[in-house]
Amino acid sequence: MFKKKIETPFYALIASFINVVLYNIPLFKLGYNNIELSTFNGVLLITSLVITAIVSNFFIFYIAVYLLRHVGKWLLILFFIINSLCVYFIVNYGVLIDRSMIGNILNTNYDEASSFISFTLLSYLIFLGVLPSLFIYRLKYERVKLKPFLLHCSLALIFLLSITYVNAPNWLWVDKNSKTLGSLVMPWSYVANTIRFYHKENKQNQKQTLLPDAKITNDRKSIVVLVIGESARSANYSLYGYDRNTNPLLAKIKDLHVYEAQSSATYTTAGVKAILDYKESNDLNEILPNYLNRNDVEVIWRTTNWGEPKVNIKNYQDQNYLRELCEGTECDYDDVLLYQLKDLIVKSKKNKILIVLHTSTSHGPTYYKKYPPEFEQFTPVCKSVELSNCTNQELVNAYDNTILYTDYLLAKVIENLKQLNEYNSGMIYVSDHGESLGEKNLYMHGIPLSIAPKEQFEIPFIVWTTDKSLQFKNKKTLSQYNVFHSILDFLEVESPIYDKDMSILKK
Ligand SMILES: [Zn+2]
């Protein structure tokens, strides 16, 4: 079968057929679930979707193998391999391959990526990726002449235009679902979105626009610890009404301000940027730690996470640095962020201090690895990286243990601050985004905000302070942009960009 050569158009057609059948099932499933199939129009739409997919892939594959020859063939193989991985994540985690998801993938470090490796993932890779690639590699083709090549291409193009025209009544449907459709069409979803991602990166790699200088107004000693949560959703905090006691320690602390809040995005890079930015915009403004550091505030950034905007300060301490210093089993977890926290503050010669702790405690899918054994109080827990293999209860148990551990960490920060009598101190805890735990068959996060379920953007926003004279506003729902202005208020730093309405303090 592999001895005989077939002609280029057939080769492209076979490749297109494999591509559509193996990798675009999630796309057709979406169509199937969203289209009324009892009507003529519905049948027309779904048939058109399938035919359009086959013909348009044929069109592009044909041009690729014709013009690029061997390189075109390898390109197909590369597509098949990546497609198989994408289908795995779409099927098992309900992700959409859009621009921000590509950003998440390209920003992923080895630790995070390796936590996804599983038997099922390898099976997808072998059966959906490697085997079809071998087939397409062994299949030989003979190039047709230029004239028939041009003729075939024109025919395919005319066909695609006509099918679009026939489907004019369905344009609205396509437009409405374009976001989801575009993220499921393999391989074009990641090809187009990788280009879009780099385009945006390029734009953002420009320097941060410096904000107008700020002024420290007095020499009172004050300190704010900003704790940035990871994938923490408010629904699983007993402070927000969850029926399980996931906040036993915080519940005992007086004067805790617990606000409803929504994140500005459902993925880390955008969520963290929003927490540090003074207003919502596509520009790259100087972020809070850089701004305060430049204006004579002592800023210390500690992180066990990633996906942060560029933090230009000398006291940037990542997990490798911290784990080197810290001794004890607690150093394997986010406790490492609190290592000698008090000493750090006392040693500072400045009156105004901001400490940012960027945690990673509730990051999936291996929730059970994110807390020390003694915090495994809700059992049994999910220990598979394939979340849909666990019962929902096991998954929620593991996740709730991460919240219990977060409760301990926050209470410990507050304990530390309470002992520093000579300081006015405050703590703000806010998460970068929420998390899905199997609701609507979705897991983790990253669904575009406009269509995301509330679990992915309803986040905790908890504030504590030693200064009893401070008055807090009664705000209904906070956004992440409230952080910047509230911290300026806490530290009593004056700035031309300070927005009184955006602070949670009454003045
Ligand atoms: Zn995150």
Side-chain angles (χ1 to χ4, degrees):
M1 139 191 199
F2 292 109
K3 294 259 161 66
K4 217 171 139 238
K5 288 184 174 178
I6 54 171
E7 289 197 322
T8 337
F10 289 110
Y11 182 83
L13 197 63
I14 291 173
S16 165
F17 197 74
I18 295 175
N19 185 69
V20 168
V21 171
L22 292 187
Y23 313 120
N24 285 288
I25 302 295
L27 174 72
F28 298 121
K29 214 175 130 200
L30 170 88
Y32 183 78
N33 289 337
N34 280 281
I35 296 169
E36 192 58 64
L37 284 173
S38 56
T39 63
F40 170 74
N41 199 37
V43 175
L44 173 73
L45 180 54
I46 196 119
T47 319
S48 305
L49 269 178
V50 178
I51 297 176
T52 309
I54 293 178
V55 178
S56 51
N57 283 322
F58 159 77
F59 180 64
I60 300 170
F61 291 172
Y62 190 22
I63 295 177
V65 273
Y66 190 86
L67 296 182
L68 303 175
R69 304 188 187 200
H70 240 68
V71 177
K73 206 173 193 180
W74 280 105
L75 206 59
L76 288 181
I77 290 171
L78 183 69
F79 282 156
F80 284 8
I81 300 282
I82 302 178
N83 284 350
S84 67
L85 297 174
C86 288
V87 172
Y88 169 79
F89 284 101
I90 292 170
V91 170
N92 290 286
Y93 292 94
V95 303
L96 296 177
I97 311 290
D98 57 8
R99 187 186 64 200
S100 45
M101 185 51 70
I102 295 290
N104 295 339
I105 294 167
L106 295 173
N107 279 318
T108 297
N109 62 8
Y110 174 74
D111 272 358
E112 196 187 355
S114 62
S115 69
F116 282 103
I117 294 173
S118 69
F119 180 69
T120 319
L121 175 68
L122 292 177
S123 320
Y124 268 76
L125 184 63
I126 290 168
F127 290 105
L128 284 183
V130 176
L131 291 183
S133 297
L134 267 177
F135 174 75
I136 212 81
Y137 178 75
R138 302 276 311 267
L139 198 59
K140 303 269 185 299
Y141 63 88
E142 200 163 7
R143 285 176 84 224
V144 288
K145 296 244 157 56
L146 183 64
K147 239 186 181 167
F149 168 71
L150 292 175
L151 180 72
H152 297 146
C153 286
S154 323
L155 283 176
L157 209 57
I158 293 170
F159 183 81
L160 287 173
L161 289 173
S162 350
I163 208 161
T164 315
Y165 180 73
V166 173
N167 270 289
N170 293 317
W171 288 351
L172 219 63
W173 183 89
V174 173
D175 186 55
K176 192 179 134 222
N177 291 286
S178 59
K179 242 184 192 158
T180 325
L181 286 170
S183 67
L184 293 176
V185 186
M186 295 298 137
W188 315 116
S189 56
Y190 56 84
V191 172
N193 284 310
T194 304
I195 297 170
R196 290 180 62 214
F197 172 77
Y198 278 111
H199 179 72
K200 197 177 167 209
E201 275 281 281
N202 260 342
K203 245 174 63 192
Q204 290 194 339
N205 259 343
Q206 299 149 358
K207 271 202 156 149
Q208 296 182 7
T209 315
L210 297 189
L211 303 178
D213 289 351
K215 209 170 79 205
I216 294 174
T217 53
N218 58 37
D219 45 18
R220 270 212 306 173
K221 281 177 168 293
S222 41
I223 165 161
V224 174
V225 178
L226 169 64
V227 185
I228 301 178
E230 171 60 62
S231 307
R233 66 185 212 187
S234 52
N236 289 51
Y237 281 68
S238 44
L239 288 175
Y240 285 85
Y242 190 41
D243 53 13
R244 261 183 170 175
N245 191 8
T246 48
N247 301 126
L249 300 174
L250 287 178
K252 284 188 214 141
I253 293 171
K254 272 189 246 145
D255 306 322
L256 211 57
H257 299 266
V258 178
Y259 287 100
E260 303 286 329
Q262 292 187 352
S263 64
S264 301
T266 61
Y267 54 99
T268 306
T269 43
V272 174
K273 181 178 179 285
I275 292 170
L276 304 174
D277 210 338
Y278 82 102
K279 67 168 188 195
E280 188 163 5
S281 86
N282 284 325
D283 303 333
L284 197 60
N285 296 314
E286 188 174 22
I287 51 171
L288 182 70
N290 298 349
Y291 182 51
L292 291 181
N293 185 64
R294 186 167 66 80
N295 286 284
D296 215 28
V297 173
E298 176 97 81
V299 182
I300 298 157
W301 183 292
R302 289 184 154 185
T303 178
T304 56
N305 210 329
W306 43 88
E308 299 156 349
K310 191 138 184 46
V311 181
N312 303 317
I313 59 167
K314 84 171 183 302
N315 292 318
Y316 181 89
Q317 307 177 342
D318 64 10
Q319 56 179 333
N320 293 333
Y321 172 87
L322 290 167
R323 292 204 166 119
E324 193 96 335
L325 294 179
C326 180
E327 276 169 26
T329 49
E330 74 276 12
C331 307
D332 296 336
Y333 304 93
D334 270 349
D335 227 317
V336 74
L337 295 169
L338 308 188
Y339 177 71
Q340 296 190 338
L341 187 68
K342 236 171 30 192
D343 297 354
L344 205 62
I345 298 166
V346 176
K347 265 193 232 147
S348 169
K349 293 188 176 64
K350 295 193 175 168
N351 293 326
K352 309 288 180 187
I353 305 173
L354 168 68
I355 295 179
V356 184
L357 306 177
H358 188 193
T359 68
S360 61
T361 294
S362 300
H363 201 291
T366 44
Y367 303 115
Y368 74 99
K369 284 187 178 166
K370 297 301 235 169
Y371 50 81
E374 63 268 29
F375 286 87
E376 195 158 290
Q377 294 193 12
F378 303 108
T379 54
V381 299
C382 170
K383 293 202 169 167
S384 166
V385 298
E386 282 151 44
L387 303 181
S388 45
N389 279 353
C390 296
T391 64
N392 191 258
Q393 195 54 56
E394 288 166 345
L395 183 66
V396 172
N397 286 344
Y399 184 81
D400 284 349
N401 291 327
T402 67
I403 305 297
L404 193 67
Y405 184 50
T406 304
D407 175 75
Y408 155 82
L409 293 172
L410 297 178
K412 194 167 164 185
V413 169
I414 292 173
E415 270 318 306
N416 270 283
L417 292 177
K418 270 184 185 167
Q419 292 165 22
L420 297 163
N421 290 326
E422 66 275 35
Y423 289 86
N424 250 324
S425 53
M427 181 204 73
I428 298 183
Y429 169 65
V430 57
S431 184
D432 61 345
H433 50 76
E435 186 85 329
S436 281
L437 295 172
E439 299 87 2
K440 304 190 178 86
N441 236 344
L442 294 174
Y443 295 92
M444 302 188 47
H445 52 269
I447 299 288
L449 191 64
S450 55
I451 52 171
K454 65 179 193 311
E455 294 83 14
Q456 295 198 12
F457 60 78
E458 285 186 353
I459 49 164
F461 195 125
I462 299 168
V463 184
W464 172 89
T465 160
T466 49
D467 188 345
K468 299 288 172 283
S469 68
L470 291 178
Q471 299 252 327
F472 285 80
K473 289 179 191 162
N474 264 333
K475 286 221 175 218
K476 251 197 116 120
T477 306
L478 295 187
S479 87
Q480 291 167 324
Y481 296 102
N482 287 110
V483 172
F484 194 108
H485 304 274
S486 306
I487 290 181
L488 289 186
D489 251 352
F490 272 121
L491 295 177
E492 296 168 294
V493 173
E494 254 175 30
S495 160
I497 50 106
Y498 167 71
D499 181 351
K500 195 168 139 226
D501 293 338
M502 291 299 284
S503 172
I504 55 173
L505 295 177
K506 272 188 210 162
K507 273 217 155 170

